[in-house]
Amino acid sequence: MGRSIARKTEQSRKLQKRAEQFIPGGVNSPVRAFGSVGGDPVYIVRGGGSHIWDADGNEYVDYAGSWGPLILGHTAPTVVEAVIAAARKGTSFGASTPAEADLAELVISAFPHIEKVRFVSSGTEATMSAIRLARAYTKRKYIVKFEGCYHGHADALLVKAGSGVATLGIPGSAGVPEEFTQFTLALPYNDTDAIEKAFEKFKRQIACVIVEPVVGNMGCVPPARGYLEALRDITERDGSLLILDEVMTGFRLAFGGAQELYKIQPDLTTMGKIIGGGLPVGAYGGASKIMDLVAPLGPVYQAGTLSGNPLAMAAGFATLSYLREHKDVYAKLDKLAGEVVEGVAAAAKDAGVTMCHNRVGSMFTWFFAEGPVTNWTTAEKCDTKAFGRFFRAMLENGIYLPPSQFEAAFLGAAHTERDVQQTIAAAKQAFAGVQV
Ligand SMILES: *Cc1c(COP(=O)(O)O)cnc(C)c1O
């Protein structure tokens, strides 16, 4: 399968061996170890536009985009120049800088329900803080999350669904005591009945519902028609807050995120990824009456040494400014992503490979299953071994996909028609070797 001349991997292999001596698994985030796809993790030394280069000199079309942030591609000149200019003035002060309100104003312009926004350094911090705030605002303890949605690695959010509907979640990681997840209800996604039942059973006790409005973290799974509206209605009726976790979808599906696309007004929005333009930024925002409960105005404590970091603010501001001034970029992304997704799907069909796909704008997943994939139960049925073979064959053919069946792929503004044609051609070769 793949090219006749095998891809060189010696340098990446050496670097991984070295890293393994000093870092658990050699990686600083587990999926980078390629555990679920097999093969050796690739060490990236350079990026430019839609392409990346590894330590052995191999070039790839990149569909991971740093897991979402790089909507403008690698080394976008506007972002690089903004970061360099900021660095020349000092990398961190631990005191306020003008750039923070600049980015805040820009973020607020994208999300009509947000009056105030607080910057943190990761999506994990954003969701953790938003939940603390929702509990303080409602003076309630329970939270609802959905199976297959990922909101970062805070204890109360690392939860697997218990058996049956509206049962308490169980810890999804060692080191999380049951007591820490006893107020987390884990429900199936896209199931209005389940959420109705949970709100009957825990009437006026649920502080918030947190959801990925379009899921990216079990692969791309869109909301069923009317589902987000149902979540909005049910939470509103009960006096519970709706948190849309737009860490992935914010500025990705539209400038105003999934809430613009689906016309849903949440109480709180969490952001990350694109908002930092490739540097570490997260954020949460909502109406002043909620946000003003955060310290120093209110009793909800939340802080960060590097929060609002000037380099990160500069990268975020440059990225969001570009997107605001080029809103036609979303139509372009939608078209090109449609081409690559449909093209690869057609190649699978021709080769007799069992595959289905989900796509919303520039976020998509090829699932090795009959489908349709609508929630975790259906996602779980995927042939992950077949995905692993597909992933490795694509890598051999110069295409870098996210190294897991259960992660969304992304297309950015730097991708070209040529990239798309190269990807479809690579898929044709890959399918010739993938026996499903
Ligand atoms: C990536 C992601 C997070 C976590 O963000 P980190 O910056 O990795 O901590 C939270 N929620 C969603 C929806 C994400 O995609």
Side-chain angles (χ1 to χ4, degrees), residues 121-125 127 150-153 212 217 245 247-248 273:
S121 298
S122 68
T124 295
E125 280 179 86
T127 58
Y150 177 69
H151 305 290
H153 62 87
E212 288 185 73
N217 288 292
D245 182 357
V247 168
M248 190 181 285
K273 299 195 168 115

Side-chain angles (χ1 to χ4, degrees), residues 321-393:
S321 299
Y322 182 94
L323 292 171
R324 190 176 58 174
E325 284 152 30
H326 301 81
K327 281 192 183 158
D328 57 326
V329 78
Y330 293 103
K332 187 200 148 193
L333 293 181
D334 185 48
K335 184 170 168 289
L336 212 53
E339 264 180 57
V340 75
V341 169
E342 302 293 334
V344 170
K349 192 156 179 249
D350 289 347
V353 171
T354 305
M355 202 186 85
C356 68
H357 59 272
N358 284 335
R359 178 180 76 87
V360 181
S362 57
M363 228 173 113
F364 55 89
T365 302
W366 293 294
F367 290 103
F368 284 79
E370 289 276 350
V373 174
T374 57
N375 57 20
W376 180 241
T377 308
T378 45
E380 218 179 15
K381 293 203 176 102
C382 285
D383 183 345
T384 53
K385 291 237 162 62
F387 177 82
R389 290 193 293 272
F390 175 63
F391 170 87
R392 295 193 305 272

Side-chain angles (χ1 to χ4, degrees), residues 48 57 62 76-77 94 109 142 153 176 212 222 249 277 286 338 348 354 362 379 410:
D62 178 21
S109 78
Y142 286 94
H153 62 87
V176 178
E212 288 185 73
T249 53
T354 305
S362 57
F410 304 99

